[in-house]
Amino acid sequence: MKKIMTVVLVGALVLSLLPAVAFAQTNMDPSQEKGWLLITEPGSYVLTGKLTGCVYVDPHEGAVELVLDGADIDGKNGGIVAVSGETLKLTLPEGSVNRVTESGENRQFNAAIYSLVDTVFEGGGALYVTGNGANGICVDRAALTFNGGSYAVKAPAYGIRAETLTLNDGHFSIQAENSFDPNARLVMNGGVIEEVSRTGVAAPACNAAMYTAQQENSSFAQETTNWISGLFNQQQSHEERDGGFNNQQPPEMPDGGFN
């Protein structure tokens, strides 16, 4: 993977840096069908526009922030992949709508957003995530934290997978076989989770107070018709019908939305 030295931007992806960081863009080749945007230095990077390829984060040390401000990333080898560094922060500016998709062709990175380092999501914007291979968002052997944002996640396996998952804020609409890894150490201090079946039907939303009550009272799930247990178990319905995210999804992408 590291042998790939070219940076290929397809469409109109704009990468800008906050002034404190020095970075040079090289080898822009929009004729290629896929490309790699390599980030090898710590710092803050603003991504706007469309990229057909992978944002590959490998600074070896230090923190990287990706500000997704109208970014549309379509990756055949993973959409956003972080393999080294201290932390990865993904910031969604207020009012921004972003999309990260992966085709499922690469088995090494089994998610649209894949990270091997502690990862934090924050901001007030919206992010659509589609993982066609296995997972939507996967943080492997590291901690994943959400401090805000609105997320619509689709995947055939796990919507969000991490060994340690902290939800401080945010709205999550998840359509997957399992919304979360049932073995994850989940801390829910805030936010709202809405599980969506394959039919497009949304279950009642789960907030932090409901999750805490479920943890404290083993009969809580039964008393509320077991809907909360579906957040950690396989979807039961497989019939095909039109549906969506119960009108609580983020706003549509400008080019046609979340598909």
Side-chain angles (χ1 to χ4, degrees):
M1 200 70 63
K2 296 181 181 178
K3 294 181 180 178
I4 301 175
M5 300 302 294
T6 59
V7 177
V8 182
L9 300 180
V10 179
L13 180 76
V14 177
L15 175 72
S16 62
L17 257 59
L18 301 183
V21 182
F23 182 81
Q25 290 180 252
T26 59
N27 290 343
M28 297 180 67
D29 186 356
S31 67
Q32 300 294 320
E33 293 184 357
K34 62 181 179 178
W36 295 83
L37 177 57
L38 306 182
I39 296 179
T40 59
E41 298 292 336
S44 294
Y45 301 80
V46 181
L47 279 67
T48 300
K50 184 172 180 62
L51 168 67
T52 301
C54 177
V55 179
Y56 192 79
V57 180
D58 189 12
H60 298 291
E61 60 183 17
V64 169
E65 177 186 25
L66 301 180
V67 181
L68 305 183
D69 193 3
D72 187 357
I73 301 169
D74 189 0
K76 292 185 178 180
N77 297 286
I80 295 175
V81 174
V83 297
S84 72
E86 181 181 345
T87 59
L88 172 67
K89 180 192 292 186
L90 292 102
T91 300
L92 311 175
E94 187 74 36
S96 69
V97 181
N98 307 277
R99 183 175 71 93
V100 180
T101 299
E102 63 90 23
S103 65
E105 296 178 18
N106 190 310
R107 299 301 179 185
Q108 181 178 3
F109 308 123
N110 59 359
I113 300 176
Y114 180 88
S115 177
L116 290 173
V117 301
D118 289 348
T119 301
V120 178
F121 288 80
E122 60 184 42
L127 176 61
Y128 291 86
V129 179
T130 304
N132 289 306
N135 308 306
I137 300 171
C138 180
V139 174
D140 197 1
R141 300 186 296 277
L144 173 59
T145 303
F146 289 89
N147 293 326
S150 184
Y151 305 87
V153 182
K154 284 185 179 181
Y158 294 98
I160 299 174
R161 188 170 194 180
E163 293 182 4
T164 301
L165 174 61
T166 302
L167 305 181
N168 293 320
D169 199 1
H171 184 278
F172 304 85
S173 294
I174 303 175
Q175 189 172 27
E177 287 292 329
N178 295 273
S179 293
F180 302 101
D181 184 346
N183 297 315
R185 294 185 293 274
L186 173 62
V187 177
M188 190 172 181
N189 299 317
V192 175
I193 302 168
E194 179 186 26
E195 185 181 51
V196 181
S197 73
R198 289 181 175 224
T199 67
V201 177
C206 171
N207 59 31
M210 293 175 179
Y211 178 75
T212 300
Q214 190 270 339
Q215 294 296 96
E216 294 176 350
N217 180 4
S218 61
S219 65
F220 178 81
Q222 287 74 31
E223 293 170 359
T224 56
T225 66
N226 290 316
W227 65 264
I228 196 169
S229 63
L231 295 171
F232 309 100
N233 295 313
Q234 182 172 336
Q235 295 279 354
Q236 299 300 314
S237 178
H238 295 276
E239 67 171 316
E240 293 297 329
R241 53 175 283 190
D242 292 336
F245 284 90
N246 200 29
N247 298 319
Q248 297 187 46
Q249 62 180 347
E252 293 292 330
M253 289 291 293
D255 62 353
F258 185 44
N259 50 45

